[in-house]
């Protein structure tokens, strides 16, 4: 059998291993974060968040067909789509490694010996399977997200340039370059990661075409590669659309023609220009010009998948992010204007002061007959700026993080050196190298890492080395040892990859440099470009999988290094076999064995079930306000895909400040009627009433919200506040609001049960909790004024309290949602004690499902956090029932808790829930189970804090302050609670543990 057949068959074997692995471990339904939005949008061809992924949606729509109408299987088969795409990535990685290995070992036109064949195939298998089982790639491979398909297109492009290189001297070889251009164009409709291969491709082209490369030539090739990248990313993706937009502006506003006329003219000119240019290049035999023009055309062909965005936006689907149905809204969509800007080369530090506002470019929106000015983009001038600003966010939490990490005083202004220090310590060390080492050294646990030594760090399993990095490792706590993500690779994959890189640079410096360039541009270049702020809401390792891909090539080359350096005294064939076996055990085998349990999501249903619970918390035809990704996207999935509770109108408050989203809320969606919003679009379009501030007018008493709304919407100049620049703006004159309650409507619509009719207040009165009103808040006021209790209003329990707009004392817990109810204010009750117990009990016992959290093989960090949410639901229900004297019902809820909740603790929050459950059990007289929970919780605290004490002592600084304070506080509370419940022996033991731990940490506490 010849080399080509063996290469193909072995590659497909790697594909099969990877694909089977991913299908066996994929999530059976929707996952958290963007997956819910992508699945819902793919099924119905809707518009996702900026900058869109139209080709991804179309491909996933294809995979949904395999569900054959079973709505509950659609997410599964879309996840299978990601698994197959990831398996195909491994296939192309294998072929890439073998192509580079063959080039390094075999001279041109030389036959491949059996020994070299074994070694090359071994290198391909080891490298490809190492990437198969790498942490970050595996995570994205088992859910419906863009990163799996994006990785595939990146792998195809890099493989494609090696195919071109192999046949570059043959006629028509440049068809491979055109193939690459088209694949790149298509990849834009998935994710932009693919474009970062362009500099590496430029060097492959240069080294192949220039027989004697020079330093100047290499520099020029690098510059050309970066220029091509810039031309594609900015010139093609953004400026082509921008030119079309301004052509349309001229034709519509100046020439008075219809919308889209300018775009058509621009398209005709563009197409005509390319046709003329290509014909000219052929006629005059301009080969480079011809190749360049054809490449741009093919990129544009691939890029045309974005036409789906405009076509579907015009259809006004339920999910229509940014409503990019005209050329200017589409331009803003592509430019990710929703997410704001960040400085890269020059800009402010966090403590720079804005001294002047400078008008930037004019923003346009589509009007009735022409484009209208929506305002101007504001740019600021600062008193001090710095080159290369990395610490630029003035958010209070970010500022505190900068100061703490860098040891700055309050009046310190960061210099260039300081900013580079933050780049190295946080943006590189924390947000890149930590991820890199997760994949090839090992991982401590999967807790969200924000820089602490005990959450989400890399860890090798070699305790002396880990101790140098993380402090004492002699008493590892449950948060590490019981974590599925406690993965120890003992540096073996990293060492193998470094050996492979060294061997590659010694044997073929050009090719090694190209792989290094791929590694840099898909790793550190992204770090420099993203310029990340601290305290990200989730880990961002998925952004760097391209660089891990490049390193996997060198892991494969580690087999070549082992054969040459360790087994050179053996026969080449025997050496190749031994090197392959060692390589397999050093990388893919250990990575698979350690990583399987924290990537097997096959039994997890948390995202699906918590979405159902959010929806089931609401009465029919409800309005449910949500806020974040994870209390919105899974709910979109539930409604749009599985048709669960289509009567509920979901309102995402983080999107509610945009005119396009308010427009969507005024339309019917599924079985939900339009929201009662009275405003006309002209009153809240972009640039109008974006923000209105509070100006105290010393008005006595509470004012009807209806009057406040009328004032905020008024066009009467007497109702507006004059500004220094001569403009007049709407404002709020008081924060004391009220809504007169129609008791009859409240009872008729079932907002309050007849049993509680005596508690209905004549008016709900509250104090607004902000100093400004955005258009989203204005829309909420409009709903409150005009709803008249016809539709139940809820806030998701995870919505930040400031988003309640001061209505806290009227929000009653009914599960995972807080119900707005016009009941007499209970001044003695805290926010957490406002419970609608009958409804909550019915939801817990008859409606809610629990994500299989008790029996799931693995729960990702978001799912384990949601266990605390579930536990809170149980505790709130039991507390409410006990308060009403319903002990029998409370006992039923307790039994359900032990039936469905896991025994394992997933961090301190999980332990806290168990303690509160123990308090309830004592009230029920169930001392046995209460004591067991207390003992278990205390043991957990003891182990966690002992570890933190060890680390603090070894590092000679206080580590884990928040967890230490929390643990000591709860231990103290446990000792007190057990004493109050006559559990004297246990109380004494708890007090002793508290004293022991307090003594260990006392050197780190300030003297009293």
């Amino acid at each position: 059998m010849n080399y080509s057949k063996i290469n193909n068959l072995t590659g497909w074997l790697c594909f099969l291993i990877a694909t089977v692995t991913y299908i066996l471990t994929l999530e059976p339904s929707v996952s958290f974060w963007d997956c819910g939005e992508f699945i819902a949008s793919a099924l119905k061809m809707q518009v996702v968040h900026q900058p869109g992924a139209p080709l991804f949606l179309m491909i996933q729509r294809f995979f949904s067909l395999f569900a054959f109408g079973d709505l509950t299987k659609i997410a599964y088969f879309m996840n299978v789509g990601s698994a197959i795409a990831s398996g195909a990535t491994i296939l192309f990685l294998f072929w890439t490694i073998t192509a580079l290995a063959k080039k390094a070992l075999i001279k041109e036109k030389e036959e491949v010996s059996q020994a070299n064949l074994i070694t090359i195939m071994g290198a391909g298998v080891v490298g490809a399977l190492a990437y198969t089982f790498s942490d970050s790639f595996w995570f994205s491979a088992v859910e419906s997200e863009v990163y799996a398909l994006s990785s595939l297109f990146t792998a195809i492009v890099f493989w494609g340039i090696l195919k071109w290189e192999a046949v570059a001297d043959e006629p028509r070889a440049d068809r491979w370059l055109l193939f690459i251009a088209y694949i790149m164009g298509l990849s834009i409709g998935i994710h932009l990661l693919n474009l970062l291969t362009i500099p590496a491709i430029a060097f492959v082209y240069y080294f192949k075409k220039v027989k004697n490369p020079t330093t100047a030539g290499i520099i020029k090739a690098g510059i050309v590669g970066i220029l091509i990248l810039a031309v594609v990313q900015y010139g093609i993706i953004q400026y082509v659309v921008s030119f079309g937009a301004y052509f349309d502006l001229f034709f519509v506003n100046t020439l008075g023609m219809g919308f889209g006329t300018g775009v058509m003219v621009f398209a005709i000119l563009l197409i005509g220009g390319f046709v003329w240019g290509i014909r000219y290049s052929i006629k005059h035999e301009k080969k480079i010009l011809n190749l360049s023009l054809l490449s741009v055309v093919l990129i544009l062909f691939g890029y045309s998948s974005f036409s789906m965005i405009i076509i579907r936006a015009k259809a006004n689907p339920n999910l229509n992010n940014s409503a990019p149905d005209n050329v200017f809204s589409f331009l803003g969509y592509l430019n990710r204007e929703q997410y704001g800007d960040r400085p890269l080369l020059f800009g402010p530090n966090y403590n720079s002061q804005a001294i002047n506002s400078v008008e930037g470019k004019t923003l346009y929106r589509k009007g009735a007959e022409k484009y209208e000015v929506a305002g101007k983009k504001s740019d600021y001038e600062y008193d001090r700026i710095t080159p290369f600003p990395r610490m630029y966010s003035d958010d209070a939490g970010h500022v505190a993080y900068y100061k703490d990490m860098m040891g700055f005083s309050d009046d310190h202004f960061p210099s260039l050196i300081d900013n580079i220090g933050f780049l190295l310590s946080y943006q590189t060390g924390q947000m890149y190298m930590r991820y890199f080492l997760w994949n090839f050294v090992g991982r401590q646990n999967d807790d969200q890492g924000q820089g602490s030594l005990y959450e989400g760090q890399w860890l090798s399993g070699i305790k002396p080395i880990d101790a140098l990095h993380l402090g004492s490792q002699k008493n590892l706590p449950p948060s590490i040892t019981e974590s599925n993500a406690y993965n120890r690779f003992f540096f073996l994959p990293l060492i193998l990859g470094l050996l492979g890189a060294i061997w590659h640079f010694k044997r073929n410096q050009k090719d090694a440099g190209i792989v290094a360039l791929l590694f840099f541009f898909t790793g550190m270049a992204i770090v420099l470009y993203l310029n990340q702020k601290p305290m990200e809401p989730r880990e961002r390792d998925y952004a760097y999988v391209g660089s891990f891909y490049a390193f996997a090539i060198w892991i494969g080359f580690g087999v070549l290094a082992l054969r040459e350096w360790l087994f050179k005294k053996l026969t080449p064939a025997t050496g190749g076999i031994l090197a392959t076996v060692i390589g397999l055990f050093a990388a893919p085998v250990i990575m698979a064995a350690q990583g399987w349990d924290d990537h097997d999501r096959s039994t997890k249903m948390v995202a699906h079930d918590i979405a159902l619970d959010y929806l089931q918390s609401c009465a029919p035809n409800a309005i449910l306000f949500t806020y974040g990704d994870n209390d919105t996207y899974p709910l979109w999935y539930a409604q749009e895909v599985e048709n669960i509770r289509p009567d509920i109108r979901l309102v995402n408050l983080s999107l509610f400040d945009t005119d396009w989203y308010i427009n969507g809320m005024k339309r019917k969606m599924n079985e939900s009627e339009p929201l009662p919003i009275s405003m006309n679009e002209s009153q809240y379009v972009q640039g109008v009433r974006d923000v209105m501030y509070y100006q105290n007018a010393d008005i006595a008493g509470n004012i009807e919200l209806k009057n406040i709304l009328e004032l905020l919407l008024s066009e009467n100049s007497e109702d507006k506040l004059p500004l220094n620049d001569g403009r007049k703006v709407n404002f709020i004159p008081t924060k004391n609001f009220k809504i007169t309650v129609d008791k009859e409507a409240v009872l008729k619509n079932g907002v309050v049960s007849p049993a509680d009719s005596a508690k209905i207040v004549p008016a709900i009165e509250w104090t607004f909790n902000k100093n400004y009103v955005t258009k989203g808040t204005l829309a909420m006021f409009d709903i409150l004024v005009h709803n008249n209790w016809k539709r139940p209003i809820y806030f998701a329990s995870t919505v930040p309290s400031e988003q309640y707009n001061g209505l806290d004392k009227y929000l009653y817990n009914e599960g995972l949602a807080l119900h707005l109810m016009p009941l007499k204010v209970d001044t003695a009750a805290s926010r957490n004690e406002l419970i609608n117990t009958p409804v909550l009990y019915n939801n817990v016992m008859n409606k809610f499902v629990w994500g299989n959290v008790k029996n799931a093989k693995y729960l990702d960090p978001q799912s384990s956090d949601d266990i605390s949410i579930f536990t809170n639901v149980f505790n709130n229900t039991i507390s409410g029932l006990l308060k009403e004297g319903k002990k029998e019902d409370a006992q039923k809820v307790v039994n359900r808790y032990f039936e469905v909740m896991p025994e394992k603790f997933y961090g301190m929050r999980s332990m806290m829930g168990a303690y509160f459950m123990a308090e309830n059990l004592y009230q029920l007289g169930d001392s046995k189970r209460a004591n067991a929970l207390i003992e278990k919780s205390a043991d957990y605290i003891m182990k966690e804090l002992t570890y933190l004490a060890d680390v603090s002592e070894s590092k000679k600084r206080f580590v884990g302050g928040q967890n230490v304070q929390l643990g000591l506080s709860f231990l103290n509370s446990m000792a007190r609670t057990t004493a109050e419940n006559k559990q004297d022996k246990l109380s004494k033991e708890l007090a002793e543990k508290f004293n022991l731990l307090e003594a260990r940490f006392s050197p780190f506490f300030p003297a009293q």
Side-chain angles (χ1 to χ4, degrees):
M1 192 178 291
N2 63 27
Y3 173 87
S4 180
K5 285 185 178 180
I6 293 174
N7 188 43
N8 287 338
L9 287 173
T10 311
W12 283 106
L13 176 62
C14 290
F15 164 82
L16 185 64
I17 293 170
T19 304
V20 169
T21 294
Y22 299 145
I23 290 176
L24 288 175
T25 57
L26 60 78
E27 195 150 351
S29 186
V30 65
S31 306
F32 282 114
W33 300 105
D34 297 345
C35 299
E37 182 194 21
F38 281 130
I39 295 169
S41 297
L43 180 66
K44 295 183 178 178
M45 288 290 99
Q46 304 185 87
V47 182
V48 298
H49 63 274
Q50 302 174 0
L55 183 62
F56 170 77
L57 298 181
M58 288 186 267
I59 291 172
Q60 291 298 79
R61 178 69 179 93
F62 167 76
F63 279 98
S64 75
L65 300 177
F66 294 99
F68 294 106
D70 185 346
L71 301 181
T72 65
K73 293 295 184 183
I74 286 170
Y76 172 81
F77 280 104
M78 288 192 185
N79 292 343
V80 168
S82 288
I84 293 174
S86 299
T89 303
I90 300 305
L91 171 67
F92 284 101
L93 172 58
F94 173 85
W95 286 338
T96 296
I97 294 171
T98 56
L100 289 169
K102 181 184 177 186
K103 189 179 173 188
L105 285 178
I106 312 299
K107 294 179 180 178
E108 197 170 343
K109 296 182 181 179
E110 182 184 336
E111 287 294 318
V112 180
S113 67
Q114 184 184 33
N116 281 335
L117 177 64
I118 292 169
T119 307
I120 291 169
M121 293 302 114
V125 169
V126 168
L129 293 184
Y131 192 59
T132 297
F133 300 113
S134 63
D135 181 68
S136 300
F137 184 69
W138 196 345
F139 183 88
S140 296
V142 296
E143 64 182 19
S144 188
E145 249 278 24
V146 297
Y147 301 105
L149 207 56
S150 172
S151 294
L152 172 59
F153 276 67
T154 302
I156 292 173
V157 162
F158 197 68
W159 168 82
I161 193 62
L162 297 181
K163 292 292 288 185
W164 170 84
E165 185 188 32
V167 297
D169 297 328
E170 299 177 8
R172 301 175 62 209
D174 286 353
R175 67 187 186 274
W176 281 104
L177 298 177
L178 299 179
F179 167 78
I180 290 169
Y182 182 56
I183 293 296
M184 281 190 170
L186 289 173
S187 75
I188 297 169
I190 300 168
H191 195 270
L192 297 181
L193 173 67
N194 189 287
L195 302 183
L196 297 174
T197 61
I198 290 174
I201 288 172
F203 275 100
V204 174
Y205 187 90
Y206 173 75
F207 288 136
K208 186 65 180 178
K209 291 295 185 179
V210 178
K211 299 301 180 185
N212 298 303
T214 63
T215 301
I218 289 171
I219 293 171
K220 287 178 182 177
I223 293 172
V224 169
I226 293 171
L227 285 175
I228 294 172
L229 172 60
V231 167
V232 176
Q233 183 164 351
Y234 297 105
I236 294 178
I237 295 176
Q238 293 181 13
Y239 283 106
V240 166
V241 178
S242 183
F243 281 129
Y246 285 96
F247 259 74
D248 213 43
L249 178 68
F250 174 75
F251 275 80
V252 174
N253 285 23
T254 304
L255 302 183
M257 304 183 78
F259 291 111
T261 307
V263 174
M264 292 298 295
V265 171
F266 175 73
I268 291 169
L269 291 175
L270 187 67
I271 294 168
F274 277 118
V275 170
W276 180 86
I278 291 169
R279 288 173 61 88
Y280 173 86
S281 67
I282 295 171
K283 182 178 180 180
H284 295 276
E285 297 183 351
K286 305 284 187 182
K287 186 177 180 182
I288 298 298
L289 176 63
N290 180 261
L291 182 63
S292 301
L293 291 173
L294 286 174
S295 295
V296 172
V297 168
L298 286 169
I299 290 173
L300 286 170
F301 278 173
Y303 184 32
S304 66
S305 66
F306 272 87
S307 60
M308 170 264 191
I309 297 289
I310 299 177
I311 293 168
R312 294 301 297 150
K314 285 184 175 293
N316 286 323
N318 291 344
L319 307 183
N320 189 14
N321 197 297
S322 302
D325 59 358
N326 66 84
V327 69
F328 275 101
S329 60
F330 182 60
L331 180 61
Y333 182 82
L334 289 175
N335 290 342
R336 295 169 56 92
E337 290 180 358
Q338 174 179 312
Y339 300 108
D341 297 323
R342 62 194 179 283
L344 290 177
L345 297 179
F346 291 92
N349 282 316
Y350 61 84
N351 52 359
S352 298
Q353 299 296 316
I355 57 175
N356 190 29
S357 177
V358 180
E359 286 189 351
K361 71 174 184 178
T362 303
L363 303 174
Y364 292 97
R365 61 171 180 257
K366 183 181 178 183
E369 296 179 355
K370 63 179 184 178
Y371 292 108
E372 300 171 350
V373 175
K376 291 186 179 290
K377 192 173 182 180
S378 293
D379 296 317
Y380 293 97
E381 293 180 350
Y382 293 89
D383 58 348
R384 294 175 292 180
I385 62 170
T386 185
F388 204 59
R390 303 288 104 179
M391 295 179 283
Y392 57 90
S393 172
D394 59 1
D395 177 270
H398 297 161
V399 171
Y401 194 100
Y402 295 142
K403 291 178 180 177
D404 181 61
M405 169 169 266
M406 304 301 293
F408 294 157
S409 62
D410 290 342
D411 58 354
H412 179 76
F413 185 78
S415 64
L416 171 62
I417 300 300
D418 292 330
N419 278 283
I420 292 174
F422 184 74
L423 165 70
L424 296 175
S425 60
Y426 177 78
Q427 294 179 332
T428 302
Q430 172 74 5
M431 299 302 289
Y432 175 72
M433 282 307 301
R434 180 169 62 100
Y435 298 145
F436 176 79
L437 296 173
W438 276 3
N439 284 272
F440 304 115
V441 171
R443 187 172 181 180
Q444 185 184 57
N445 54 35
D446 57 6
D447 292 345
Q448 170 81 38
Q450 296 291 4
S452 61
L453 294 175
Y454 55 93
E455 294 172 321
Q457 287 285 353
W458 67 267
L459 175 146
S460 68
I462 303 172
K463 288 198 173 184
I465 295 177
D466 294 336
L468 290 174
H469 167 47
L470 300 170
S472 173
Q473 299 291 292
K474 64 182 179 181
N475 292 305
L476 292 178
S479 60
I480 295 176
T481 59
E482 294 179 9
S483 171
N484 291 54
Y486 179 42
N487 298 333
R488 290 139 293 163
F489 304 151
F490 309 104
F491 285 97
L492 295 175
L494 177 67
I495 292 170
L496 191 62
L498 291 176
L499 288 174
I502 293 167
W503 185 92
H504 199 192
F505 272 102
K506 287 192 170 186
R507 180 60 66 96
N508 190 326
Q509 198 172 49
K510 294 177 185 175
D511 282 359
I514 289 165
V515 175
L517 205 63
L518 178 67
F519 179 77
F520 172 80
F521 271 92
T522 54
M524 273 305 300
I526 296 176
V527 171
L528 295 171
Y529 179 73
L530 290 180
N531 196 5
Q532 284 177 320
K533 295 177 283 191
M535 302 170 68
E536 289 284 329
R538 63 182 291 198
E539 299 287 15
R540 301 297 188 186
D541 53 305
Y542 55 80
Y544 307 109
V545 291
S547 71
F548 308 155
Y549 180 97
F551 192 77
I553 294 174
W554 282 330
I555 289 178
F557 272 66
V559 172
L560 309 181
L562 289 175
R563 189 190 80 165
E564 182 171 318
W565 294 340
L566 287 187
F567 304 120
K568 58 185 177 182
K569 292 185 178 180
L570 302 176
T571 63
T574 304
I577 292 171
L578 284 175
T580 300
V581 170
I582 290 174
L584 284 170
F585 279 96
V589 170
I590 193 172
M591 292 166 76
Q594 290 283 307
W596 192 283
D597 61 347
D598 56 302
H599 292 90
D600 186 357
R601 297 196 242 166
S602 59
T603 54
K604 183 171 78 69
M605 290 290 289
V606 180
H608 176 278
D609 286 1
I610 201 168
L612 190 149
D613 293 345
Y614 274 115
L615 295 171
Q616 295 292 23
S617 296
C618 302
N621 302 310
I623 299 167
L624 174 60
F625 291 108
T626 64
Y627 187 76
D629 291 358
N630 289 330
D631 61 13
T632 302
Y633 293 160
L635 279 65
W636 282 352
Y637 162 82
Q639 287 191 324
E640 298 292 313
V641 178
E642 295 195 22
N643 202 34
I644 296 170
R645 295 301 303 274
D647 59 301
I648 295 174
R649 177 56 63 99
L650 299 174
V651 184
N652 183 282
L653 292 172
S654 57
L655 300 177
F656 213 20
D657 286 331
T658 58
D659 53 0
W660 58 266
Y661 192 74
I662 296 174
N663 288 340
M665 294 297 104
K666 293 171 68 176
R667 292 192 293 269
K668 182 174 181 178
M669 289 188 184
N670 301 316
E671 295 175 17
S672 168
E673 294 300 318
L675 291 183
I677 297 175
S678 66
M679 295 187 293
N680 297 319
E681 185 176 0
S682 61
Q683 295 176 302
Y684 59 81
V685 291
Q686 181 186 5
V688 176
R689 293 183 175 85
D690 290 335
V691 61
M692 295 166 284
Y693 291 97
Y694 166 66
Q695 181 71 33
N696 189 1
D698 294 324
I699 299 173
N702 291 72
I703 304 302
E704 280 286 349
L705 187 61
K706 179 181 179 182
N707 297 334
I708 298 293
L709 180 67
E710 289 173 354
L711 183 69
L712 291 173
L713 293 175
S714 175
E715 298 296 346
N716 189 335
S717 62
E718 294 181 1
D719 294 332
K720 297 185 178 183
L721 188 71
L723 300 179
N724 293 333
D725 60 6
R727 291 183 299 129
K728 288 190 172 184
V729 295
N730 298 92
F731 71 103
I732 44 173
T734 179
K735 294 185 182 181
N736 299 317
F737 302 158
K738 73 174 181 179
I739 298 175
T740 300
V741 175
D742 183 344
K743 185 174 181 179
E744 184 179 337
V746 168
L747 292 170
K748 177 184 175 183
N749 295 318
V751 178
V752 175
S753 68
D756 292 327
S757 61
K759 298 180 183 178
I760 298 174
V761 292
I764 62 171
E765 299 179 343
W766 76 99
T767 300
F768 183 56
N769 62 355
K770 300 188 184 81
N771 289 318
Y772 58 89
V773 171
T774 61
K775 65 182 62 178
T777 309
L778 184 65
M780 185 190 291
F781 288 170
D782 203 349
I783 293 168
L784 292 171
V785 167
H786 293 100
N787 185 49
N788 195 30
W789 309 102
K790 292 175 184 175
R791 298 176 70 171
I793 293 176
Y794 294 84
F795 289 82
S797 61
T798 45
V799 169
S801 57
E802 65 268 17
Q803 296 298 324
Y804 301 157
N805 291 325
L807 289 165
D808 310 48
K809 59 188 178 181
Y810 298 105
L811 297 176
Y812 286 77
N813 192 326
E814 294 185 357
L816 293 182
L818 309 176
H819 189 182
L820 180 65
M821 300 176 70
L823 298 179
K824 183 179 179 181
V825 175
D826 185 351
T827 54
S830 68
R831 164 84 285 277
N832 294 329
E833 292 173 325
L834 295 178
I835 298 171
N836 189 355
T837 310
V839 174
L840 182 53
Y841 175 78
N842 181 53
N843 286 339
V844 169
M845 298 304 293
N846 300 316
K847 292 184 177 182
F848 285 1
V849 284
W850 310 101
N852 196 31
V853 293
K854 189 177 184 71
N855 301 311
K857 296 175 184 176
Y858 171 67
L859 298 177
D860 60 79
Q862 181 60 45
S863 299
S864 57
D865 280 349
D866 287 343
I867 290 175
S868 299
I869 295 176
F870 287 151
T871 305
N872 288 341
V873 170
F874 279 107
N875 281 321
N876 287 332
T877 310
I878 297 165
S879 298
L881 291 167
L882 289 172
K883 192 175 180 181
E884 296 178 7
K886 299 177 179 178
K887 284 196 170 185
E888 187 177 334
D889 287 341
Q891 189 62 59
K892 291 178 182 177
V893 177
V894 167
N895 294 338
R896 176 61 59 86
Y897 168 84
F898 282 103
E899 179 186 327
V900 300
M901 287 292 105
E903 296 179 5
K904 176 182 175 180
F905 286 151
Y906 290 87
M908 284 290 188
R909 284 183 65 193
S910 184
M911 177 278 301
M912 290 162 56
Y915 165 69
F916 292 127
M917 178 59 68
E919 284 191 320
N920 284 324
L921 288 170
Y922 282 130
Q923 288 192 57
L924 284 167
D926 192 348
S927 297
K928 183 178 179 181
R929 285 201 287 194
N931 288 344
L933 281 180
I934 291 286
E935 289 172 356
K936 180 178 160 188
S937 300
D939 182 60
Y940 183 84
I941 292 172
M942 193 74 189
K943 290 176 179 177
E944 292 292 323
L945 268 58
T946 297
Y947 171 70
L948 292 176
D950 293 343
V951 173
S952 296
E953 290 166 359
S954 64
K955 288 289 187 179
K956 294 182 173 53
R957 61 184 174 87
F958 191 21
V959 173
Q962 185 175 0
N963 276 4
V964 170
Q965 291 172 9
L966 197 64
L968 290 175
S969 173
F970 270 83
L971 262 182
N972 194 35
S973 296
M974 289 174 194
R976 186 176 60 251
T977 299
T978 49
E980 290 169 354
N981 288 278
K982 308 291 190 292
Q983 307 299 312
D984 297 331
K985 182 182 176 183
L986 178 56
S987 179
K988 183 180 178 182
E989 291 173 358
L990 293 168
E992 290 173 355
K993 289 181 177 180
F994 174 83
N995 292 331
L996 177 64
L997 288 172
E998 188 179 45
R1000 289 204 66 185
F1001 286 105
S1002 59
F1004 303 102
F1005 293 153
Q1008 298 297 317

